[in-house]
């Protein structure tokens, strides 16, 4: 029997991910982020995890929310969108917080433009999941659960 406090995770999305469902449906599908988040919540609860969501298009807001993981969460699944490829501020924020982060992408970034092949976040995350659409989030949560 498991005991102790219920683990709490944060699922974070960066710029333009609020546009999923409208934005490039051939790449990101036609479901809205809101509807994907509902599915994610049910999935996380099924694993016995409490799950909060945060989305911002603003780098500094994402940095501040990452800082909050230190005291408010046990770990984080992060799709930083395009910031993945160049935000040293987000990378340093993850480094500053001694909690597990899983980097996720809906699309297979390695089969797309060259600039998407590089992530400045991967080295400070526990692992990376890319290419499985909304299921990338579920896979990320499952991986995170295994290390809590
Ligand atoms: C993304 C991939 C990024 O390259 C892109 O800028 C995004 C979404 C993905 O989920 O596939 O905004 O992180």
């Amino acid at each position: 029997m498991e005991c102790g406090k219920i683990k709490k995770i944060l699922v974070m999305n960066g710029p333009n991910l609020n546009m999923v469902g409208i934005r490039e449906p051939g790449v990101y599908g036609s479901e809205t982020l809101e509807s994907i988040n509902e599915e994610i919540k049910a999935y996380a609860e099924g694993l016995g995890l409490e799950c909060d969501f945060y989305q911002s298009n603003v780098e500094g807001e994402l940095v501040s929310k990452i800082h909050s993981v230190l005291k408010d969460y046990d770990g984080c699944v992060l799709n930083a969108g395009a910031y993945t490829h160049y935000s040293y501020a987000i990378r340093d924020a993850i480094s500053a917080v001694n909690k597990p982060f899983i980097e996720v992408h809906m699309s297979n970034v390695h089969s797309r433009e060259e600039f998407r092949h590089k992530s400045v976040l991967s080295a400070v995350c526990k692992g990376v999941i890319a290419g499985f659409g909304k299921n990338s989030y579920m896979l990320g949560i499952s991986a995170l659960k295994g290390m809590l």
Side-chain angles (χ1 to χ4, degrees):
M1 194 180 88
E2 280 189 27
C3 53
K5 223 161 93 300
I6 290 189
K7 303 284 184 188
K8 197 169 165 192
I9 65 165
L10 177 66
V11 175
M12 261 184 95
N13 282 287
N16 300 307
L17 287 150
N18 57 313
M19 295 296 284
V20 163
I22 298 165
R23 167 191 191 196
E24 299 178 79
V27 177
Y28 300 108
S30 52
E31 252 183 88
T32 63
L33 187 63
E34 206 181 21
S35 125
I36 292 171
N37 284 350
E38 270 176 38
E39 225 179 293
I40 293 172
K41 196 170 184 67
Y43 179 78
E45 281 171 6
L47 292 178
L49 298 170
E50 203 179 311
C51 182
D52 282 350
F53 297 91
Y54 183 79
Q55 190 277 329
S56 175
N57 296 316
V58 180
E59 188 179 25
E61 288 179 1
L62 292 163
V63 165
S64 295
K65 193 67 182 179
I66 289 169
H67 294 166
S68 82
V69 172
L70 185 59
K71 80 172 178 30
D72 296 338
Y73 298 96
D74 295 294
C76 178
V77 168
L78 171 64
N79 184 350
Y83 284 139
T84 303
H85 312 300
Y86 65 93
S87 174
Y88 298 125
I90 289 179
R91 178 197 166 107
D92 285 351
I94 297 169
S95 289
V97 173
N98 193 21
K99 291 286 171 74
F101 278 71
I102 311 290
E103 176 183 336
V104 303
H105 303 285
M106 296 181 81
S107 65
N108 178 355
V109 283
H110 300 288
S111 70
R112 300 180 66 196
E113 302 92 327
E114 187 86 34
F115 75 89
R116 297 186 205 275
H117 298 182
K118 181 187 154 116
S119 165
V120 299
L121 310 182
S122 302
V124 292
C125 289
K126 293 290 181 191
V128 183
I129 292 163
F132 302 99
K134 66 182 177 184
N135 288 327
S136 290
Y137 294 98
M138 323 296 175
L139 291 165
I141 288 171
S142 165
L144 185 56
K145 155 97 181 165
M147 51 186 74
L148 296 181

